[in-house]
């Protein structure tokens, strides 16, 4: 059996092992490859930066722990960016796994940056209903979420007394892993209430959102861990996404090599047959 | 619930009372000199100086031009209120803090605060009104010095519309679509032969079932991971009946794991129908269709377990799929099953194309039931939607040409809210 | 009997379907309110189906465990886990809602289910590599174009793509090419597929509403 045969019949567990090693090594020994900021990520940063300091921003965390590695760095960077500008954050989640993730970020960054719950940020929690919730939320925050994530009546929170719908909101940031997510927010809220909107989504979903970016319905887009790393670069705070990009780079290069090897074997066999 | 006046009290800060004037050291020296010279008149001089140097905080001037209009294209539960900003917004920036919206059911009042907006805004939609009733509005400019209510009153009556005019274009296209589909169904029922191109993926389904029969193994049918409200799931379940009929005819076991209870009950009906249609109701196994779980990755783990344990020879993935698509397809490949996939989830198509033997792309999934049954009415609906597609292509081309020429009317007409 | 088995379901499907379509175009409460009510009823109907689902899980796995079919110990684990989570959710939440922060149910979800969920998701990385090696063959010109585009996007979207082409003008760097591919050709193709899929949805929905497609009903067939 020659090398080509061996490679073609290679037990895929060898491939799994190599992928595992190539992902692990850069995490342990960072390569510190430079990150180029793409247009959509740059526009995401500019959109957040452009809103006046102290503005009210709605953050919708529509994801669960499975997409955490891609989306948590985006959420963390966005919340940190907002807190730096003294913006007020109203968070909600449309996925049942979302509230503890979003809550953790809001509180940990809030404690570190001297923000007060109820005054500088509020987590309204999860509500089932998908598009129906988005429509109702746009009409009245307090009617849709009479209590926040911890059960406190929303009308007792100072931040929620100064705003009750998108009229007072300067930006909607949607961090989305699928359905319901960015597409639904664009259809139900952005078009109806003409709110400025940016999105962070998983890498596999991001290409589907480019039509909305081109039409201006969303004005910035972060795609996957690469997008999160680009945003971290623009905000100047390195986080897990930046660290993960070395591992992602080596995995991508490995897959490219696998595709090339596979095709070299294929073409050499075809040439041998003919 | 509507904004209550009490809530606005929280926003309003109490006016700062006049405080005794505290001079700076330099000024203090000058005043002391004046006091020494003036003597008994010192206290009054300080008072008059204090009044001159600390201006009173005044209430802002009232807004004007209050108007109210029905919000169009709704169910009659909203009125748009607009006004001209208080002149103090420009003349004395910061004097106006908020505008408070006051509403009454009668022209003479009483006017109750129902909402408020930040200064700088001259428009607010009141969404807590009832269709057919008349409402009167006034607007108050509120600042540290107090509030001033507009002299004029805006009156409006919300009305429910029978047609959302912003969706007129969609309405017309929907009517056209119905006409096309019903027209072709009519032609098909009158015996006209309708050509539908070959779809290899659908042809491969029968081939896959035949292969499973030869190998004496089962067929695994995964109807997607969305609930019954997704049309992909409905389309998949209609194909399931045809597949169940084939497996009944060939006496091949079929396994259908589902992840929503309603999908589970419908899938049971479809499989039962298939066996009945094949004339083999006795061969139907109630355990062929099983509910697994709604959780995405738990469902995938269970289906992978079925694949690795039962080793079905044919895997059919037809419906809505997300991140689990490649997990399913690769595991199925490892068990050397023939795999046919079909989904309209565009993001998952590349994974299925790479890992499966045949893939139905997008609308081919919806065409499958018509293609398999060859029933004229179903084929007619296929042709109708094809004609619709031609019309949409024309609309896109015409729209692009008009936009390039700077004519936006067509685009504006096609815009939908 | 025909009335209930055949005509009534078709009539209900048509009436509810047409009412829901009309509610998209007619905002008047006479149409919008009944349509909203039906949507609310649908949510309740779907929710009540979960009882049926749980019963089926018990039945199928219980039978397999009792008859000691293939891998029956895992069926016992499944049933015990399901019953344990139900007990924790129903009875051990200490008066709060079982999904609230800090409950035992949330602890079990966060510390048992979430790691397993993340593990399954992480398997994708390995499977993509094996699928790419096994199946990505340039058999035709189209496949060749696809391979080139895939390689450009894969390498252009990670830092190594920027690093490899850092000496070139920005217009020739891999990240620029990757962005262009994502914003233009793939966008156009996706839009085309999405429009076709959308029409397929309309056609299927229309068939169901008009009763042309009624496989969901048990019909006596000769």
């Amino acid at each position: 059996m020659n090398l080509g045969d061996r490679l073609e019949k290679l037990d895929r567990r060898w491939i799994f092992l190599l992928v595992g090693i190539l992902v692990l090594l850069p995490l342990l020994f960072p390569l510190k490859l430079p990150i180029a900021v793409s247009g959509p990520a740059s526009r995401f940063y500019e959109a957040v930066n452009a809103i006046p300091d102290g503005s009210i921003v709605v953050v919708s965390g529509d994801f669960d722990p499975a997409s955490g590695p891609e989306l948590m760095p985006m959420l963390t960077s966005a919340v940190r960016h907002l807190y730096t500008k003294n913006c007020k954050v109203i968070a909600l989640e449309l996925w049942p796994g979302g509230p503890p993730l979003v809550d953790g970020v809001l509180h940990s960054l809030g404690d570190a940056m001297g923000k007060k719950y109820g005054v500088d940020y509020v987590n309204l929690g999860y509500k089932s209903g998908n598009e129906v919730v988005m429509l109702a939320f746009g009409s009245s925050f307090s009617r849709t979420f009479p209590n926040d994530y911890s059960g406190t009546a929303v009308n007792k929170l100072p931040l929620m007394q100064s705003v009750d719908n998108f009229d007072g909101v300067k930006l909607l940031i949607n961090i989305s892993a699928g359905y319901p997510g960015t597409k639904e927010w664009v259809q139900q809220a952005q078009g109806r209430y003409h709110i400025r909107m940016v999105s962070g989504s998983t890498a596999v979903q991001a290409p589907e959102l480019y039509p909305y970016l081109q039409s201006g319905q969303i004005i910035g887009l972060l795609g996957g861990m690469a997008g999160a790393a680009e945003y971290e670069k623009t905000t100047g705070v390195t986080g897990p996404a930046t660290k993960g990009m070395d591992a992602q780079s080596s995995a991508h290069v490995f897959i490219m090599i696998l595709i090339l090897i596979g095709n070299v074997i294929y073409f050499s066999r075809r040439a041998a047959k003919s | 619930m509507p904004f209550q006046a009490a809530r606005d009290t929280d926003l309003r800060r109490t006016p700062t009372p006049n405080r005794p004037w505290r001079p700076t050291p330099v000024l203090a020296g000058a005043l002391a000199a004046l006091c020494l010279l003036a003597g008994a008149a010192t206290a009054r001089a300080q008072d008059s100086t204090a009044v001159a140097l600390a201006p009173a905080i005044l209430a802002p001037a009232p807004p004007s031009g209050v108007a109210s209009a029905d919000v169009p294209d709704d169910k009659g539960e909203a009125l748009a209120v607009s006004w001209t900003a208080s002149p103090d917004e420009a003349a004395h920036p910061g004097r106006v803090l908020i505008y408070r919206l006051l509403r009454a059911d009668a022209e003479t009042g009483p006017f109750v605060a129902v909402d408020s907006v930040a200064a700088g805004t001259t428009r607010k939609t009141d969404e807590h009104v009832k269709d057919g009733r008349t409402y009167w509005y006034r607007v108050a400019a509120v600042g540290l010095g107090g509030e001033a209510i507009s002299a004029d009153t805006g009156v409006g009556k919300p009305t429910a519309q029978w047609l959302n005019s912003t969706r007129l274009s969609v309405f017309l296209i929907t009517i056209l679509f119905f006409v096309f589909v019903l027209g072709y169904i009519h032609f098909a029922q009158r015996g006209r032969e309708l050509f539908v191109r070959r779809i290899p993926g659908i042809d491969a389904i029968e081939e896959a079932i035949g292969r499973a029969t030869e190998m004496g193994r089962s067929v695994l049918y995964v109807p997607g991971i969305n609930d019954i409200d997704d049309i992909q799931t409905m389309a998949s379940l209609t194909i399931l009946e045809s597949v169940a009929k084939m497996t009944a005819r060939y006496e091949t076991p079929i396994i259908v794991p589902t992840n929503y209870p309603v999908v589970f009950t419908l899938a049971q009906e479809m499989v039962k129908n298939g066996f009945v249609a094949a004339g083999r109701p006795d061969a139907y196994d109630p355990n062929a269709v099983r509910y697994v779980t709604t959780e995405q990755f738990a469902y995938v783990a269970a289906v992978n377990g079925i694949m690795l344990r039962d080793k079905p020879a044919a895997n059919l993935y037809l419906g809505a799929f997300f991140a689990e698509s490649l997990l399913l397809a690769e595991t199925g490949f490892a068990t050397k099953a023939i795999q046919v996939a079909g989904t309209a989830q565009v993001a998952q198509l590349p994974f299925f194309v790479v890992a499966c033997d045949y893939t139905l792309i997008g609308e081919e999934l919806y065409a499958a039931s018509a293609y398999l049954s060859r029933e004229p009415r179903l084929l007619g609906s296929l042709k109708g939607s094809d004609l619709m597609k031609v019309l949409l292509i024309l609309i896109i081309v015409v729209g692009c040409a008009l936009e390039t020429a700077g004519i936006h009317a067509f685009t504006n007409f096609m815009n939908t809210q | 009997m025909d009335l209930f088995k055949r005509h009534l379901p078709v009539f209900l499907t048509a009436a509810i379907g047409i009412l829901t379509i009309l509610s998209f175009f007619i905002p008047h409460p006479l149409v919008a309110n009944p349509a909203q009510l039906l949507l609310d009823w649908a949510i309740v109907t779907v929710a009540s189906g979960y009882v049926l689902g749980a019963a089926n899980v018990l039945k199928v796995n219980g039978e397999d465990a009792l008859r000691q079919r293939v891998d029956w110990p895992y069926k016992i684990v499944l049933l015990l886990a399901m019953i344990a989570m139900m007990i924790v959710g129903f009875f051990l939440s200490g008066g709060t809602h079982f999904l609230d922060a800090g409950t035992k149910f949330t602890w079990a979800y966060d510390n048992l289910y979430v790691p397993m969920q993340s593990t399954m998701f992480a398997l994708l990385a390995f499977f993509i590599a094996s699928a790419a090696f096994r199946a990505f063959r340039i058999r035709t010109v189209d496949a060749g174009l696809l391979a080139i585009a895939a390689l450009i996007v894969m390498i252009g979207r990670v830092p190594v793509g920027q690093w490899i082409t850092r000496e070139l003008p920005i217009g020739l760097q891999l990240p620029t090419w990757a962005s262009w591919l994502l914003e233009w050709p793939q966008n156009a193709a996706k839009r085309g597929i999405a429009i076709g899929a959308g029409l397929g949805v309309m056609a299927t929905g229309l068939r169901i509403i008009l009763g042309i497609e009624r496989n969901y009903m048990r019909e006596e067939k000769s």
Side-chain angles (χ1 to χ4, degrees), chain B residues 319-342:
Chain B
F321 293 90
F322 296 89
E324 71 288 343
S325 55
L326 189 64
L327 292 173
L328 291 171
E330 268 302 282
T331 309
F333 177 81
T335 63
K336 299 186 180 10
I338 180 171
Q339 304 195 101
V340 179

Side-chain angles (χ1 to χ4, degrees), chain B residues 75 164 167 291 309 330 333, chain C residues 24-25 56 71 130 134:
Chain B
K75 55 201 278 200
N164 186 336
R167 295 176 181 174
Y291 171 76
R309 273 193 303 276
E330 268 302 282
F333 177 81
Chain C
F24 182 75
F25 301 107
N56 183 256
D71 289 332
S130 72
R134 173 177 60 74

Side-chain angles (χ1 to χ4, degrees), chain B residues 35-385:
Chain B
C35 289
L36 281 171
L37 289 170
T42 302
R44 208 159 68 182
Q46 275 185 332
D47 281 342
S48 59
T49 312
V51 166
L53 289 172
I57 298 171
L58 300 171
S64 58
V66 179
S68 167
D70 176 40
V71 171
D73 306 317
D74 72 338
K75 55 201 278 200
E77 290 179 354
L79 281 171
V81 183
S82 60
W83 59 92
T84 307
S86 162
D88 280 342
E89 278 227 47
H92 299 103
R95 189 176 282 185
V96 179
L97 292 175
I98 60 167
Y99 288 105
R100 190 174 301 131
L101 200 65
L102 309 167
R103 185 180 74 208
D105 293 338
E107 193 174 359
T108 49
F111 284 87
V112 173
V114 295
D115 212 334
S116 60
V117 293
T121 315
T122 55
R123 202 178 166 78
K124 179 71 186 161
T125 302
D126 182 4
E127 292 185 346
H128 307 296
V129 292
K130 288 192 169 33
D131 173 34
R133 287 169 63 169
T134 306
Y135 296 90
W136 284 262
Y137 289 93
R138 286 191 181 158
V139 179
V142 180
L144 290 177
E147 70 171 38
I149 301 175
S150 60
D152 40 339
T153 309
V155 58
K157 185 175 175 181
T159 318
Q161 273 75 49
W162 280 102
L163 180 68
N164 186 336
S165 60
T166 63
R167 295 176 181 174
L168 185 61
S169 55
V170 178
F171 182 70
L172 291 173
I173 286 177
T174 305
I175 298 292
L176 267 175
F177 181 75
F178 277 39
V179 165
F180 291 160
V181 168
L182 293 173
Y184 269 106
I185 289 174
H186 175 70
F187 292 146
Q189 284 183 312
R190 287 180 72 177
R192 187 158 139 182
E193 196 68 32
L194 296 173
F195 168 75
V196 174
R197 69 166 172 87
R198 204 178 145 258
I199 303 176
I202 304 176
D203 290 338
I205 291 175
E206 185 153 10
E207 179 197 327
I209 296 170
R211 196 190 189 212
T213 310
E214 283 167 12
M215 295 172 77
R217 293 184 357 211
S218 56
V219 171
L220 175 71
Y221 190 101
V222 184
I225 67 156
N226 265 359
D227 205 347
I228 201 66
D229 56 344
D230 190 327
I231 288 282
Q232 291 181 81
T233 309
M234 278 305 304
S236 176
L237 290 174
T238 54
I239 300 168
L240 174 59
E241 199 208 348
S242 302
V243 168
K245 190 169 155 188
M246 283 185 234
T247 60
R249 208 183 319 136
Y250 297 144
E251 293 178 17
T252 310
I254 183 171
I255 305 169
V256 185
T258 60
N259 71 328
Y260 278 96
V262 177
V263 176
F264 159 67
T265 48
L266 270 175
Q268 273 191 326
E269 282 301 310
M270 296 310 207
V271 173
K272 229 184 282 187
N273 279 356
F275 275 72
V276 165
R280 299 292 316 275
D282 50 302
Y284 168 67
D285 174 12
N287 286 343
V289 182
R290 55 190 79 163
Y291 171 76
V292 178
T293 175
T294 310
E295 287 290 334
Q296 180 185 19
F297 288 105
Y299 176 75
V300 172
V303 175
N304 282 355
I306 293 172
M307 283 195 240
L308 292 169
R309 273 193 303 276
D310 297 350
K311 291 195 174 22
N315 296 338
L316 307 175
Y317 312 114
L318 297 162
F321 293 90
F322 296 89
E324 71 288 343
S325 55
L326 189 64
L327 292 173
L328 291 171
E330 268 302 282
T331 309
F333 177 81
T335 63
K336 299 186 180 10
I338 180 171
Q339 304 195 101
V340 179
T343 184
Q345 297 298 126
V346 180
Q348 305 308 319
L349 283 170
F351 302 117
F352 279 139
V353 166
V354 162
C356 295
D357 298 284
Y358 298 92
T359 306
L360 302 175
I361 296 177
E363 65 202 296
E364 289 178 344
L365 172 69
Y366 302 117
S369 66
Y371 189 91
L372 283 167
S373 67
R374 291 277 160 185
E375 200 192 313
R377 293 182 305 171
L378 296 179
L379 288 176
S381 73
L382 264 190
K383 300 294 286 186
S385 59

